[in-house]
Amino acid sequence: MFFMKKYCFALDLKNDKKLIEEYDHYHKIVWPEIVDNIYMTGIVNMEIYRLETRLFMIMEAIDSFSMEEKEESDLMNQKVQEWEDLMWKYQQPLPGQKPGTKWVVMDKIFEL
């Protein structure tokens, strides 16, 4: 039987209409190297939703997926680091998070 891991994350964008429009645009033309890296690390589906400045990401990965291995792989990938640096122009930590904190894993509190 094939199981999937599901993760949900939140992050905020800077409250600037022009920057939000740019951010949305980049996510309609995600660099192919980024998409390849996502699949290569065991992620099979990723969706990002936005409500004003709040982002919500759903990520589904193969059962053997490791967040730690993904983070290590990302650090070694120059193109991923370039993308992350570019995206940080638009993003900001959620309230109460340490400066520089990006996507924060959310706790599941209900399932039907």
Side-chain angles (χ1 to χ4, degrees), residues 44-108:
V44 296
N45 188 43
M46 181 181 284
E47 299 172 340
I48 300 176
Y49 297 85
R50 181 177 63 76
L51 175 64
E52 298 179 9
T53 59
R54 180 68 37 97
L55 298 173
F56 176 67
M57 178 169 59
I58 302 169
M59 184 176 86
E60 295 176 302
I62 59 175
D63 193 46
S64 61
F65 174 80
S66 163
M67 192 70 76
E68 293 78 18
E69 289 177 15
K70 165 101 173 77
E71 290 172 2
E72 287 177 24
S73 173
D74 288 352
L75 287 172
M76 303 291 285
N77 187 314
Q78 182 179 353
K79 204 64 172 177
V80 170
Q81 291 307 302
E82 188 180 333
W83 175 265
E84 290 298 330
D85 289 344
L86 175 62
M87 292 302 104
W88 198 235
K89 171 183 174 182
Y90 309 100
Q91 301 165 335
Q92 64 181 8
L94 289 167
Q97 298 299 312
K98 296 177 185 175
T101 301
K102 285 196 164 201
W103 293 99
V104 177
V105 176
M106 301 174 74
D107 295 326
K108 180 175 28 173

Side-chain angles (χ1 to χ4, degrees), residues 7 13 17-18 20-21 25 30-31 35-36 38 46 50 53 57 63 65 67 71 77 80 90 95 97 100 107 109 111:
Y7 301 86
L13 293 175
K17 185 176 179 177
K18 184 177 184 297
I20 291 170
E21 287 173 1
H25 176 72
V30 175
W31 301 345
V35 173
D36 290 346
I38 289 169
M46 181 181 284
R50 181 177 63 76
T53 59
M57 178 169 59
D63 193 46
F65 174 80
M67 192 70 76
E71 290 172 2
N77 187 314
V80 170
Y90 309 100
Q97 298 299 312
D107 295 326
I109 63 167
E111 181 174 351

Side-chain angles (χ1 to χ4, degrees), residues 13-30:
L13 293 175
K14 295 177 180 172
N15 192 6
D16 179 304
K17 185 176 179 177
K18 184 177 184 297
L19 290 178
I20 291 170
E21 287 173 1
E22 287 179 23
Y23 187 83
D24 285 356
H25 176 72
Y26 271 111
H27 283 81
K28 292 178 179 148
I29 56 163
V30 175

